[in-house]
Amino acid sequence: MSKKLKRSILFWLFLSPIVVVILFPYAVMAISSLKSATEVLNPTWWPDELHWQNFPEMWRTSGIASALANSLYVSGLSTALTILVSIPAAYALSRYQFAGRNAFRQFLLISQMLSPIVLVIGLFRLVAGAGMIDSLNVLVIIYTAFNIAFCVWMLQSYFSTIPRDLEEAAWMEGASRTRTLFTVFLPLAVPAMVVTAIFTFINAWNEFVIALTMLRTEGSYTLPIRVFSLVAGRYTVDWHYVMAAAFVASVPVAILFAWLQRYLVRGLSIGAVK
């Protein structure tokens, strides 16, 4: 056995408890979603028969389809708007010196210590006064506002690691600042933008309290609210449907991570080294 193989086995032995702890809830969720209504509350680990029909039945009866579309709309649009606003701000922080620059950076950091829950009542009064309760676009605006500070902080840290010499070389060749930004600078920052977009998307995808406060009708529910509605205020809970809905809600994020994994690894590693 080679030394490299021994080291890999040793590392995986150390990591195996962490892997088990992380995957255990997902295993319970997946197995429970394939049980019958009577088996799901039994202590038996594996069902006598896998009930694959739970998924189409849950899809037809729970309204998860509209909630999935709403979550994709809110998360996708808020992520796009956040990145579009954050890139110019992060570029200015990393490349220009101006009065109040350090104070603005400190403001971005301090704003991350303020929980959105603290502002829920004020946000509700503001939105209600504007007559925009039960609107998905309100969620898009709120999520964008809350995520901008985090994105600017993440991006400006990464942007500072990109050598200025590359931009200066493009300027010497006659390229304008705008062309240099889009053809030289931003392609080098793709890993950081992808990492930031992933975290922003997940924050919007999983957000619960603000969505619960702002949304009223079932047609506008996002996925967390729809899954919650399968449990709250019911005399009997179909846990196999709840687990199936939770599994469906986890799939898009898992696909996103798998698809953008190479950018995620590059962005987290390169941005930490100057």
Side-chain angles (χ1 to χ4, degrees), residues 43-191:
T44 55
W45 173 251
W46 194 260
D48 297 331
E49 181 183 355
L50 297 179
H51 297 267
W52 295 101
Q53 68 272 17
N54 289 347
F55 285 93
E57 290 176 0
M58 176 276 298
W59 188 269
R60 290 194 305 268
T61 60
S62 66
I64 200 75
S66 61
L68 178 62
N70 292 338
S71 285
L72 288 173
Y73 171 78
V74 171
S75 302
L77 186 56
S78 62
T79 299
L81 291 176
T82 301
I83 295 299
L84 287 176
V85 174
S86 300
I87 288 175
Y91 182 79
L93 282 175
S94 66
R95 286 295 188 263
Y96 298 103
Q97 297 292 332
F98 53 88
R101 177 174 177 269
N102 291 331
F104 182 68
R105 293 182 62 184
Q106 294 300 321
F107 167 76
L108 292 177
L109 186 60
I110 294 173
S111 66
Q112 298 305 297
M113 304 177 186
L114 185 64
S115 174
I117 299 177
V118 179
L119 304 176
V120 165
I121 297 178
L123 285 172
F124 177 79
R125 290 175 61 88
L126 183 64
V127 173
M132 299 179 67
I133 290 293
D134 199 36
S135 171
L136 293 177
N137 292 325
V138 167
L139 285 186
V140 172
I141 296 172
I142 294 175
Y143 292 168
T144 300
F146 276 119
N147 285 316
I148 282 176
F150 168 77
C151 290
V152 172
W153 183 265
M154 289 280 291
L155 290 175
Q156 67 89 26
S157 178
Y158 185 93
F159 287 176
S160 298
T161 66
I162 298 177
R164 294 175 180 267
D165 297 343
L166 300 176
E167 296 172 88
E168 293 173 354
W171 297 337
M172 293 180 64
E173 293 294 329
S176 64
R177 288 185 177 270
T178 303
R179 183 178 179 183
T180 302
L181 175 65
F182 284 101
T183 61
V184 177
F185 187 86
L186 290 183
L188 296 174
V190 167

